[in-house]
Amino acid sequence: MLRQDCECHVVNTASAAGLVSAPLMSVYNVSKHAVVTLSETLFHDLRLAKAKMGVSVLCPAYVPTNIRSSERNRPAELADDAPPTPSQIAARERSEKAIASGRLSAAEVARMTFDAVRDDRFYVITHPKMLASVELRFQDLLAQRNPSDPYTFKPEVAARPR
C-alpha cells in the first residue's frame, strides 16, 4: 500500500470495549484495546512517513449481530465441552442483554464507516452516548483514582454482583 501512488485508507475494527474496560470481558477488552493502540500507532507512523494513507478505527458498541454465537466458527477439534463457569454464564447473559438493546444495524455502521473514511476521520464512534464513559475513564486516570463502573451511564446493562 505504501508503494502505490494513490490515496488509500485502512479501517481497523475494534469496539467500544477498546475505549473502556467493562467487567466480565477481560480477553475481549484486551484484544480491542490492542486494535485501538495499533491503529493510533499506525496513524502516527504513516504521518511521519508522509504516506498517502488514512487510518480509522471503528469502535461500535452493541450492534445486533451473531457475535454472541461466535463458537459456531470454532473447529470441532477445539470445542470445549466443559460446562460454563458462573462468570461465563454472567458474561453471556450481560452480553445477550446488551446486544439485544442495540439499535443500529450493521448496514448503518457500514455507512458511518464509509462517511468517516470519506472525511478522513480517525475515530468512528457509532454510539456517541458511550463517550461519557470514555470521559469518565480518563477522568479516573487523570485523578489517579480507582476505575469507575463503565456502565455508570447505562445501568440497565451493568453487571451486578451475584
Side-chain angles (χ1 to χ4, degrees), residues 75-93:
E77 64 272 12
L78 298 177
D80 184 2
D81 296 329
T85 65
S87 66
Q88 288 171 325
I89 292 168
R92 180 170 292 264
E93 287 172 355

Side-chain angles (χ1 to χ4, degrees), residues 23-25 84-97 157-162:
L24 303 172
M25 298 173 47
T85 65
S87 66
Q88 288 171 325
I89 292 168
R92 180 170 292 264
E93 287 172 355
R94 194 197 64 71
S95 176
E96 288 176 358
K97 184 176 181 180
V157 296
R160 300 284 175 235
R162 291 183 171 236

